[in-house]
Amino acid sequence: MRLYPHPPVLIRRAQVADTLPGNYKVNAGQDIMISVYNIHRSLQVWEQAEEFIPERFDLEGPVPNESNTDFRFIPFSGGPRKCVGDQFALLEAIVALAIFLQHLNFELVPNQTIGMTTGATIHTTNGLYMKLSQRKLTPELVSPATSR
Ligand code: HEM
């Protein structure tokens, strides 16, 4: 969600004339585009900004959000129109990933050209293919419900 934030840009329209921090003047009716993609990859606010380093977020610490990262991590936006499904989405992702990884092996299909494109959201141009195979379950990981 940092390197490929799925809405890469947020747009706001000024209801009234305003001056933003940094002395940026905004006219009434003017649209403002906030590039989440660029903020998430900015060397001004991230070390090794382009690298995928999940450990940069402390597993024992709070889940990163706009408030505890001083708005440098805003995959769900921020403020009054922030995503209302953020907690649900995070929980769903963890549960889905845990179940997938418990049951399946994932292998990237070789020799693919994986392209990226954007519309309202970032997505692949022609998909990203994986070969899935049943994973041998480690007995101690099998819950009574799964083994039935
Ligand atoms: C990883 C998953 C998700 C991401 C990255 C995401 C991201 C976002 C972002 C960035 C916005 C704000 C757009 C803006 O400010 O212009 C937004 C709004 C919204 N999201 Fe999500 N979202 C996700 C999942 C969900 C889920 C699971 C739900 C519902 C269960 C949801 C419901 C909404 C709604 C209703 C809004 C509009 C809120 C408003 O305008 O007041 N989202 N989302």
Side-chain angles (χ1 to χ4, degrees):
M1 288 200 297
R2 186 181 68 88
L3 289 173
Y4 302 97
H6 67 218
V9 171
L10 300 170
I11 306 171
R12 293 291 181 267
R13 179 165 298 168
Q15 298 293 304
V16 293
D18 203 354
T19 305
L20 300 179
N23 207 27
Y24 294 104
K25 304 258 185 285
V26 178
N27 299 320
Q30 188 174 335
D31 286 344
I32 301 161
M33 299 180 81
I34 302 157
S35 176
V36 179
Y37 188 90
N38 287 330
I39 293 171
H40 282 188
R41 287 169 181 256
S42 169
L43 284 168
Q44 289 179 30
V45 292
W46 294 100
E47 270 173 37
Q48 295 173 273
E50 300 280 338
E51 304 295 318
F52 176 60
I53 311 173
E55 303 77 29
R56 70 170 77 237
F57 300 113
D58 183 3
L59 264 184
E60 305 301 320
V63 173
N65 59 36
E66 71 285 6
S67 321
N68 61 24
T69 64
D70 197 16
F71 283 80
R72 67 196 172 122
F73 184 68
I74 47 169
F76 294 109
S77 181
R81 302 311 294 262
K82 174 188 172 169
C83 178
V84 292
D86 63 338
Q87 297 301 314
F88 178 84
L90 291 173
L91 189 66
E92 185 185 22
I94 292 166
V95 170
L97 203 60
I99 293 181
F100 282 148
L101 295 179
Q102 190 184 20
H103 292 278
L104 299 164
N105 288 312
F106 290 76
E107 213 181 320
L108 198 59
V109 170
N111 307 321
Q112 297 180 72
T113 309
I114 302 163
M116 187 178 82
T117 185
T118 58
T121 58
I122 288 183
H123 43 269
T124 55
T125 320
N126 294 310
L128 185 161
Y129 294 95
M130 311 279 281
K131 202 174 142 204
L132 305 191
S133 55
Q134 188 76 42
R135 188 172 178 174
K136 279 207 186 77
L137 291 178
T138 319
E140 52 274 24
L141 291 180
V142 180
S143 74
T146 344
S147 58
R148 254 182 250 134

